[in-house]
Amino acid sequence: MQEYNPQQVEAKWAKIWEKKKAWKVDLKKAKKPYYNLMMFPYPSAEGLHVGNVYAFTGSDIYGRFKRAQGYDVFEPMGFDAFGIHSENFAIKKGVHPKTQNAKNIAHFRQQLESLGALFAWDHEVDTTRPEYYKWTQWIFLQLYKVGLAYKGKAPVEWCPSCKTVLANEQVINGKCERCDSQVIQKELEQWFFRITKYAERLLKNLEKIDWSERTKASQRNWIGKSEGVQFSYKVKDMDIHFEMFDSVPQTFMAQTFTVIAPEHPKLYELVKGTEHEKSVLEFVEAIKQKKAAQKFDIEKEARGIFTGRYIEYTPAKRLLPIWVASFVIADYGSGVVNASAHDERDFAFAKKYHLPLHPVMFPEDPIEAEKVKSLEYCYHHAVDGVLVEPAEFKGRNWSEVRGDIVDYIERNRWGKRVSQYHLRDWLISRQRYWGPPIPIIYCKKCGTVPVPEKDLPVLLPFVKNFRPEGTGKSPLASVPSFVKTKCPTCQGPAERETDVSDTFLDSAWYFLRYPCTDIKTKAFDADILKKWLPVNMYIGGQEHAVLHLLYTRFITMALNDLGFVEFEEPFKKFRAHGLITKEGAKMSKSKGNVENPDDYFKKYGADTVRLYLMFIGPFAEGGDWSDKGIVGMYRFLNRLWGFVERSQGSSEASLESLRHKTIQKVTEDLENLRYNTAIAALMEYLNESSRASKGSKKDAETLLILLAPFVPYITEELWKMLGSKDSVHGQPWPSFDQKLVAEKSFKLVLQVNGKVRDVIEVSIGISQKEVEKKALSSEKIIKTLQGKKPSKVIFVPNRLVNIVV
RNA sequence: GCCCUCGUGGUGAAACUGGCAGACACGCAUGGCUUAGGACCAUGUGCCGCAAGGCUUGGAGGUUCGAAUCCUCCCGAGGGCACCA
């Protein structure tokens, strides 16, 4: 008798597997390629946390399951190591990011190895290595060539503490997501990727990819398509035309004034040389200052000023006064909007500045309609509202008239159908050190010149002082040996771009590099990609539902258009895993509630931790980490150990029906990532087997094969104990026989008026006649019926009978 | 405000296309083993009730022979978007 000693078992097999390179896949020779991808981690100084372990375990179980089904599973691992996190940490500790990064990665790798996953370490990727970011820069150049990368001046979110530009998503309620400082607006020359060009495709393709609905919904929201009408109007007495977008065109006849954004480029032209010039410019300046200071209270302040100009509003043959209004967004639509009585904001604005209002839609209730007419309140988004204008549509409902109104507007040539998107271009410039330099050279003679591909990579120089200076320039700007260079075109003196690119660019293509890490001459090889991509299964956190996944899709589409890859969607299947919390709260350093998996590995072993995490609840939903439940898993593995030990050399018969039933259940659950119920089924199987037999070898073997994806170490050890020479991880996934799954008899439920009154054991396939006979002779049924005659009998074969009286 | 996801015992959670609600665990209780504790084993455990029986899936209605599951409204939680016209 030997006791289960997880540390010993796990150390032993980890060593053997490593030596045998047990999980190595020959990418060229593989016959049934299956690319099982998980989001690669950012190697923080704290090491792997429980959330990482959760994600990787869930993904690895799926990979091992596919492997057992005969696929050549490629399950690579790497490190998303560039970025502001590493840099901030390095600044705080006074260690160079490069040094720190190497340390972190070493720690991570060692932790990951103990997890017992199928990782293909011979294809590891580290985004900070020149061999990798050379190709990140190369991708930039490809996009630049076709105009998908461009430089533009743009107001950007600037964090005065981190001294860098932030992406929109890094700004939470006007504050920096990292240091909580008030973000200010700044105008800078920045590099952008034209992701907006792909808005419609990014949206439409969502229909044809197998992703969790939640993730798709987030992407749809982010892209934010809005359909409506674009009108075009002339400014009275001026040669200026404005395009105006309206997503609620039904009430277009209600428009009585026009609002324009304070930042609108044509605003100055409107007021130049008029009596309004001074007051308008003062107003604009005040608004800009408020916005920069982020003191603008969205709820209360809707301020405006008259420009002295009018729009010639053709459909209603009236003039609309143009007002500058603080609430108008400059970079959505055209920055100019016609306002009406049927929009709450416009209504409030009009009341405040005594502007005319002209409602054209009313409730059916005449008393309420009178109130709307007398402008007592704003009547908006009312699905049952009835139009009175234009005359052709009088009496028709707001909700059904939309299409016809748009047709009508188009017929009159007042406007046309268009779509607007909330999606903005992707700002990729970062005024930081720890990232790949953007491969661009500025020459006084030749202008902006891309670095020739043969000169890649543009190496990130080792800079001692990499702290951002707050000048709006990257730390690289203070390294003359980096900045000063020759123009690739004219050989004259020139300067390098000193910004680095966004970390999200590194991670937007890493999955293409994994299978090609051994190729030095190009980013990826067409033949290999053809064989292995798109990725079969991608698993990662829901927090990346928008940015990472959207950027990745965009880069893939662009590469597809450029002819580098043959697919436009990178991930056939994506599943988001849930979040692991601690006492209901998200684990974070600042809260001090981060669980370190190492402690649990030491105490129970990786197998138990893996099993416990998967048992907490549905993989897609995550759960709360508490160390209470973990003992249950440890007990289970100990019971398994004992059972297998007893079944050595046993010739007891197996529980055929339950065995097949369990195989079916576990197979189906694994396919759908329902690990918690698969584990429950395996526990039942062990419980039943232990009860029924001293130890059936057949049952023990089946248990081990089915459990192997979850707990790779103990199953391997026990497999050997049963006397096999080969590995449990080389065993084919067992199949089940539908005939054997079905039992000979079942428990028939007897109901009266839908309430269960009795349960009797009968044989499968029993006829309705027989059932009725049996049911009506049941004592409990007779008692419940009290002599009443059944009016109807519902019979569900092999399940129940319901007697209605 | 709009869009998604969800709400089931003391706890984590099960329940396939509507068909025995609470599988599997944790915890708890009782008993066994043990000097004791732990570990382990056995049994029990939704609520009310001595019992017969009744009640029970956030709340209120509805559809159905039958609803955790479908429909309507309301309440609550989590997430995404948001002065987006």
Side-chain angles (χ1 to χ4, degrees), chain A residues 62 113 127 130 148 217 256 270 273 355 375 489 788:
Chain A
Y62 193 78
E113 276 165 5
T127 56
L148 285 174
T256 44
L270 281 183
L355 294 166
L375 303 174
T489 312
K788 280 180 221 153

Side-chain angles (χ1 to χ4, degrees), chain A residues 21 35 41 67 159 167 187 192 212 258 270 289 346 494 505 510 535 553 582 620-621 683 737 747 772 785:
Chain A
K21 296 208 183 330
Y35 194 162
R67 192 172 176 277
C159 172
E187 286 250 313
F192 290 90
S212 14
T258 299
L270 281 183
Q289 269 176 27
D346 299 344
L505 181 56
Y510 75 113
V535 167
R553 295 180 60 217
K582 175 82 185 173
E621 282 164 36
M683 286 174 165
D737 186 337
K747 284 175 182 147
E772 279 185 39
L785 288 179

Side-chain angles (χ1 to χ4, degrees), chain A residues 72-304:
Chain A
D72 296 290
V73 175
F74 179 49
E75 188 174 298
M77 179 47 68
F79 302 97
D80 188 16
F82 263 141
I84 211 158
H85 292 87
S86 311
E87 201 173 314
N88 284 346
F89 182 86
I91 288 172
K92 219 198 271 171
K93 301 274 166 171
V95 197
H96 195 277
K98 200 172 172 179
T99 323
Q100 185 63 40
N101 185 46
K103 231 194 244 174
N104 295 351
I105 286 183
H107 184 208
F108 257 72
R109 202 183 290 117
Q110 170 250 317
Q111 286 183 302
L112 285 165
E113 276 165 5
S114 62
L115 201 63
L118 295 176
F119 299 138
W121 286 113
D122 52 337
H123 285 271
E124 179 186 330
V125 150
D126 168 358
T127 56
T128 68
R129 300 183 63 150
E131 302 93 280
Y132 183 85
Y133 70 71
K134 170 178 182 178
W135 303 113
T136 308
Q137 293 170 337
W138 176 84
I139 286 174
F140 176 94
L141 293 178
Q142 306 315 308
L143 297 197
Y144 179 80
K145 264 189 225 166
V146 293
L148 285 174
Y150 68 94
K151 202 167 191 193
K153 200 164 194 183
V156 293
E157 313 285 350
W158 173 265
C159 172
S161 166
C162 297
K163 294 173 183 170
T164 187
V165 168
L166 301 174
N168 283 336
E169 61 276 12
Q170 293 168 318
V171 182
I172 313 291
N173 294 328
K175 289 182 176 177
C176 173
E177 70 164 359
R178 233 178 325 278
C179 65
D180 232 26
S181 316
Q182 284 286 342
V183 167
I184 58 172
Q185 303 239 321
K186 228 177 169 173
E187 286 250 313
L188 283 178
E189 283 269 297
Q190 307 274 334
W191 283 98
F192 290 90
F193 281 169
R194 214 179 288 281
I195 190 171
T196 49
K197 196 182 158 192
Y198 288 79
E200 186 60 33
R201 220 158 127 197
L202 288 165
L203 187 69
K204 226 172 178 179
N205 274 10
L206 288 174
E207 285 164 26
K208 60 182 191 193
I209 48 180
D210 179 12
W211 286 25
S212 14
E213 190 43 47
R214 228 182 125 199
T215 314
K216 289 194 197 180
S218 295
Q219 295 220 340
R220 280 191 206 105
N221 273 337
W222 186 262
I223 296 167
K225 182 175 181 171
S226 153
E227 292 180 41
V229 172
Q230 185 168 291
F231 293 93
S232 178
Y233 299 117
K234 187 181 168 299
V235 178
K236 187 175 175 268
D237 302 327
M238 290 192 89
D239 191 22
I240 293 181
H241 286 258
F242 283 124
E243 315 262 86
M244 295 169 197
F245 179 71
D246 191 349
S247 69
V248 194
Q250 291 98 314
T251 52
F252 76 101
M253 287 301 281
Q255 294 170 351
T256 44
F257 60 100
T258 299
V259 284
I260 184 167
E263 301 89 350
H264 198 285
K266 282 191 183 157
L267 180 55
Y268 181 63
E269 215 178 319
L270 281 183
V271 296
K272 194 170 66 181
T274 71
E275 52 176 321
H276 295 275
E277 177 175 349
K278 197 171 163 239
S279 56
V280 167
L281 292 185
E282 274 171 14
F283 175 82
V284 167
E285 202 42 50
I287 294 290
K288 274 189 182 166
Q289 269 176 27
K290 279 208 166 185
K291 279 194 181 171
Q294 284 288 323
K295 277 179 191 157
F296 218 78
D297 193 325
I298 291 167
E299 302 301 322
K300 290 167 200 153
E301 293 256 13
R303 305 208 299 139

